[in-house]
Amino acid sequence: MSERPTLVSSSKTFGGSQLRLRHRSQVLHCEMTYSVFLPPQSLAGARVPALYWLSGLSSTDENFMQKAGAQRVAAELGIAIVASDTSPRGDGVPSDPGGGWDLGLGAGFYVNATREPWARNYRMYDYVVDELPALVEEEHSLSDSRGISGHSMGGHGALVCALRNPGRYRSLSAFSPISNPMRCPWGEKAFSHYLGSDRKDWHEWDASELLSGASERLPILVDQGGADPFLETQLHPEALRAAAERAGHPLTLRMQPGYDHSYFFIATFIEDHLRHHAKALVR
């Protein structure tokens, strides 16, 4: 178990509390921050369910909380929102030697790295699946009823975390996920550094590959902007759709004409996603 977190900031919103906290991660071997919205039901003593949000490349735990406008509906539904950072950080944590933004700091890709110099710190999968939920469920008295969602690299992470852990999450969704990272430039760069050059080792971190062997049929909601500049080169939602059709896996993939990759897009459809999760999380 990680040591107890320290409070960085706190604000009241929609009758609940928006918190940012810092703790020492035993998994990542560095200081980490996370953000959590606690709805008014939680402040009144209820153990509420939580939606875990994973953000995209170059983001932090704050982007979603400040830009998505999710707190109003989460407060109505009685759902906490937990947002992790997107990578380990701090002195001694390696980053892209070429100075890029799509590897290293801000770009952990929610995998467990096996290659040096990444293996010690870059275990974001273990962090978001195990360490962070154990910490926040104890610290903030949340229930173990969990949903997971994310955007872009975080959408990839949400899909992989749920598909690899049947029974751990009750609901799943994504915005503009990197659906087939084995076959896009962002994923190929990250996987070759974190996991090595043997592409067979990449399959267990690719949602379009994992769907074929998924033992749980957790319904997936995906929204994808039709004007997203990364749609054809990086995201490949058609691969996810084809994999779901082959596996008979329930997938609702909504192409949204005119919308891009930004948080304006996420803010437009976040209420639909929160209500999708509430159907499974709120009893």
Side-chain angles (χ1 to χ4, degrees), residues 140-209:
H140 305 292
S141 298
L142 303 180
S143 79
D144 61 0
S145 181
R146 309 175 193 96
I148 191 165
S149 186
H151 172 231
S152 193
M153 177 185 73
H156 141 75
L159 293 169
V160 166
C161 289
L163 290 170
R164 286 173 55 114
N165 292 277
R168 181 139 184 93
Y169 302 98
R170 294 185 179 177
S171 56
L172 172 61
S173 77
F175 288 85
S176 313
I178 303 174
S179 296
N180 197 189
M182 290 182 59
R183 297 174 178 85
C184 77
W186 283 340
E188 290 176 330
K189 179 178 179 179
F191 285 8
S192 62
H193 281 80
Y194 296 148
L195 306 172
S197 59
D198 190 342
R199 298 177 72 94
K200 293 193 298 294
D201 296 332
W202 300 3
H203 284 253
E204 61 182 316
W205 303 106
D206 187 308
S208 293
E209 299 292 329

Side-chain angles (χ1 to χ4, degrees), residues 218-272:
L218 201 63
I220 305 171
L221 172 63
V222 172
D223 272 308
Q224 171 62 61
D228 191 320
F230 306 115
L231 177 57
E232 294 184 2
T233 57
Q234 303 283 7
L235 304 179
H236 300 307
E238 72 283 353
L240 189 69
R241 187 199 301 274
E245 289 176 352
R246 288 193 300 269
H249 197 106
L251 168 67
T252 301
L253 173 58
R254 308 192 307 186
M255 297 299 298
Q256 304 291 0
Y259 286 90
D260 58 19
H261 201 69
S262 71
Y263 268 86
F264 296 110
F265 164 57
I266 295 171
T268 302
F269 299 103
I270 190 61
E271 180 169 351
D272 290 353

Side-chain angles (χ1 to χ4, degrees), residues 2-3 23-32 127 131:
S2 300
E3 65 185 45
H23 74 107
R24 177 77 185 177
S25 168
Q26 295 180 3
V27 169
L28 305 178
H29 303 285
C30 66
E31 294 286 324
M32 291 293 287
Y127 178 72
E131 186 179 32

